[in-house]
């Protein structure tokens, strides 16, 4: 849906937002400890609260704990670096673009040791190179980017995670899905992913800038982004009502149509494989 000024926003994110998301984001903000907000954005305390709402976007079954945090998608790198890695421990960063570089920089800021598995520009992670790197030395975490915004390269997280678990089963598999979640499938449990991060402004379809009330109980640490959390609730519920398989199919159809149009004009993509 084009913006109210008639201009079509065509960047990876922020993207176009559904009118229902914009409506609730633009509505009066409740208290962050109000009963309605404890329901992740329900209009009143009697709304049906679904604790699986956010897990469902990342493909069920998903037993991981979702956290909704005020901040950019890159804040997820800090979460991974601060909580899963001790100073001096090694991280293997499978590099497919600018945002892999930035993730590596973040890890170094937390005094982690980074080994950079660099792919040529436009290439996805080479399974053979990953296997060789894992056999060479031991890592605490392995960093994979599902789709790098800077290159459009999509990695086979399922296949890469299987290689990691086979060679280094104790290593933690972490996935940056800022440019992919809700547009590409990610089976958190089935694929053996240990931590995954994303941002609100891309395929999730919520304005940028996103605390967890999973237990349906008010608590206080700092004032969360109340209106954005409510917008996230609406966006996720809409996608689940449609069905994530249908959502993924729609993204695929649009992607193929867009690529076909680009090729017909003699243009090329940074990503080397036409998928």
């Amino acid at each position: 849906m084009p913006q109210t000024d008639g201009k079509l926003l065509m960047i990876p994110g922020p993207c176009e937002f559904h009118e229902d998301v914009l409506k609730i984001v633009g509505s009066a903000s409740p208290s962050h400890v109000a009963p309605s907000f404890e329901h992740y954005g329900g209009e009143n305390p009697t709304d049906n609260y679904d604790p699986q709402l956010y897990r469902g976007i990342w493909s069920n079954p998903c037993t991981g704990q979702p956290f909704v945090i005020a901040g950019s998608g890159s804040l997820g790198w800090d979460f991974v670096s601060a909580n899963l890695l001790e100073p001096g421990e090694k991280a293997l960063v499978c590099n497919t673009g600018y945002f892999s570089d930035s993730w590596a920089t973040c890890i170094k800021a937390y005094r982690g040791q980074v080994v950079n598995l660099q792919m040529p520009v436009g290439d996805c992670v080479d399974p053979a190179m990953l296997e060789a790197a894992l056999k060479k030395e031991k890592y605490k975490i392995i960093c994979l980017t599902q789709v790098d915004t800077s290159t459009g390269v999509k990695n086979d997280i399922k296949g890469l995670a299987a290689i990691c678990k086979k060679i280094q089963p104790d290593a933690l598999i972490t996935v940056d899905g800022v440019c992919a979640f809700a547009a590409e499938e990610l089976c958190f449990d089935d694929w053996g992913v240990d931590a995954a991060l994303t941002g609100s402004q891309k395929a999730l379809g919520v304005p940028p800038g996103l605390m967890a009330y999973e237990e349906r109980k008010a608590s206080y640490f700092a004032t969360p982004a109340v209106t954005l959390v409510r917008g996230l609730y609406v966006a996720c519920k809409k996608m689940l009502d449609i069905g994530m398989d249908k959502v993924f199919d729609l993204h695929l159809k649009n992607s193929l149509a867009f690529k076909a149009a680009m090729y017909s004009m003699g243009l090329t993509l940074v990503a080397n494989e036409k998928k």
Side-chain angles (χ1 to χ4, degrees):
M1 181 181 69
Q3 300 179 102
T4 54
D5 60 5
K7 296 179 181 179
L8 180 62
L9 187 60
M10 297 183 66
I11 61 174
C15 64
E16 297 288 333
F17 307 118
H18 192 279
E19 58 185 357
D20 290 349
V21 173
L22 293 177
K23 181 180 178 181
I24 196 165
V25 168
S27 63
S29 174
S31 164
H32 55 290
V33 294
S36 62
F37 186 61
E38 294 168 32
H39 291 258
Y40 277 58
E43 290 297 328
N44 58 70
T46 62
D47 282 349
N48 292 323
Y49 171 73
D50 181 5
Q52 298 298 324
L53 181 72
Y54 300 125
R55 291 187 175 101
I57 300 297
W58 287 274
S59 303
N60 282 319
C62 176
T63 57
Q65 169 68 58
F67 293 94
V68 181
I69 308 298
S72 66
S74 58
L75 182 62
W77 299 333
D78 290 84
F79 265 62
V80 169
S81 303
N83 293 284
L84 303 184
L85 196 67
E86 296 294 333
E89 291 182 325
K90 290 184 179 180
L92 177 64
V93 176
C94 299
N95 195 318
T96 53
Y98 172 82
F99 291 95
S100 300
D101 291 335
S102 298
W103 196 352
T105 300
C106 181
I107 293 170
K108 291 176 183 178
Y110 285 89
R111 294 184 292 162
Q113 292 187 36
V114 173
V115 174
N116 187 45
L117 186 63
Q118 182 69 55
M119 297 299 121
V121 175
D123 283 2
C124 56
V125 175
D126 184 333
M129 290 179 64
L130 174 60
E131 186 170 342
L134 292 172
K135 289 180 177 178
K136 185 177 181 180
E137 52 188 316
K138 188 175 179 60
Y139 299 97
K140 177 64 177 296
I141 62 172
I142 300 164
C143 304
L144 303 170
T145 302
Q146 191 166 15
V147 175
D148 194 293
T149 309
S150 68
T151 60
V153 169
K154 173 189 171 185
N155 283 306
D156 175 16
I157 300 300
K158 180 181 180 180
L160 298 175
I163 293 173
C164 296
K165 289 300 182 185
K166 179 181 178 181
I167 300 174
Q168 292 196 27
D170 294 331
L172 300 175
I173 299 173
T174 60
V175 178
D176 178 339
V178 171
C179 196
F181 288 173
E184 297 287 349
E185 184 178 40
L186 181 78
C187 298
F188 193 92
D189 286 4
D190 291 346
W191 295 357
V193 175
D194 295 292
L197 60 102
T198 191
S200 60
Q201 74 277 13
K202 291 188 170 68
L204 284 171
V206 183
L210 280 181
M211 265 173 220
Y213 286 71
E214 173 80 359
E215 295 180 359
R216 200 173 176 178
K217 180 176 61 177
S219 58
Y220 183 75
F221 168 69
T223 305
V226 176
T227 56
L228 293 180
V229 172
R230 298 207 304 169
L232 178 63
Y233 178 96
V234 171
C236 289
K237 194 170 188 311
K238 281 191 171 294
M239 284 187 283
L240 291 176
D241 286 345
I242 295 171
M244 291 310 298
D245 287 341
K246 292 182 179 179
V247 172
F248 295 145
D249 285 342
L250 179 60
H251 279 289
L252 178 59
K253 290 177 182 177
N254 287 337
S255 173
L256 293 175
F258 186 85
K259 291 172 185 174
M262 294 299 100
Y263 296 139
S264 70
M265 292 188 289
L267 301 176
T268 58
L269 303 177
V270 176
N272 291 327
E273 295 186 26
K274 298 179 181 180
K275 292 185 179 180

